[in-house]
């Protein structure tokens, strides 16, 4: 057997082993933390709907941006995204809220707009603030006639 075939087989075996270990660790982590993550997300969504019941879309975004600024972890950022999603679903639309929001398939415009929104709201792109504005973009795509 040529040497290159042996090397290729060894590399393939090592990669397979690494993938198996990563899968095992993922399953272990999910069993330890998955339920709390799901429950926390559901609670954040419910809290967002409650807040949205007495707010408009601009107030929902302002509250979520403030929470995002104070977030201590990526799990908390994830919950804030769900809070905003719930809030926007339950709120009163603000006229003009969706003005200038690009369509979800306008990838370049979306990236530029998201970066600008992060900057405008004083949020860090390194802390996944683009995900917050993806919620706004999704809301605007589904409520186009209500809030423009």
């Amino acid at each position: 057997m040529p040497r290159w075939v042996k090397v290729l087989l060894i590399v393939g075996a090592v990669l397979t082993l690494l993938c198996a270990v990563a899968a095992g660790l993922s399953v272990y982590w999910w069993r330890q933390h998955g339920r709390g993550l799901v429950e926390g997300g559901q609670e954040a969504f419910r809290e967002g709907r409650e807040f949205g019941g007495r707010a408009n879309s601009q107030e929902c975004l302002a509250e979520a941006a403030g929470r995002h600024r104070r977030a201590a972890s990526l799990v908390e950022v994830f919950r804030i995204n769900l809070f905003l999603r719930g809030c926007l679903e339950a709120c009163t639309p603000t006229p003009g809220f969706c003005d200038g929001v690009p369509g979800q398939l306008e990838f370049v415009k979306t990236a530029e707009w998201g970066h600008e929104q992060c900057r405008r709201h004083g949020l860090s792109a390194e802390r996944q603030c683009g995900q917050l504005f993806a919620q706004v973009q999704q809301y605007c795509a589904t409520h186009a006639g209500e809030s423009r």
Side-chain angles (χ1 to χ4, degrees):
M1 181 179 306
R3 183 180 176 136
W4 68 269
V5 172
K6 290 179 186 177
V7 170
L8 191 61
L9 288 173
I10 290 171
V11 168
V14 168
L15 288 176
T16 302
L17 181 62
L18 288 174
C19 288
V21 168
L25 288 173
S26 297
V27 167
Y28 173 78
W29 183 90
W30 182 254
R31 286 186 178 164
Q32 297 298 314
H33 304 286
R35 174 177 265 179
L37 199 62
V38 169
E39 289 171 356
Q42 290 171 334
E43 176 58 31
F45 185 81
R46 276 192 298 274
E47 186 182 340
R49 287 191 61 81
E50 182 181 307
F51 186 91
R54 58 185 188 278
N56 63 40
S57 46
Q58 191 60 47
E59 291 167 331
C60 286
L61 179 57
E63 177 67 18
R67 290 177 181 216
H68 193 280
R69 253 182 246 102
R70 297 183 303 272
S73 69
L74 285 178
V75 171
E76 201 171 339
V77 167
F78 170 73
R79 289 181 182 152
I80 294 164
N81 290 337
L82 291 173
F83 168 87
L84 180 57
R85 165 64 72 157
C87 193
L88 290 173
E89 283 187 12
C91 72
T92 302
T94 303
F97 182 74
C98 292
D99 290 353
V101 177
Q104 292 178 297
L105 297 178
E106 297 178 84
F107 302 115
V108 174
K109 286 182 182 178
T110 293
E112 292 168 348
W113 174 80
H115 180 72
E116 173 59 25
Q117 295 304 307
C118 290
R119 187 196 61 70
R120 196 169 128 232
H121 287 85
L123 303 174
S124 170
E126 290 80 29
R127 297 189 61 207
Q128 305 300 316
C129 83
Q131 293 301 312
L132 193 65
F133 295 102
Q135 301 302 318
V136 172
Q137 189 177 33
Q138 223 169 11
Y139 166 80
C140 290
T142 58
H143 295 83
E146 298 171 24
S147 57
R148 286 193 186 255

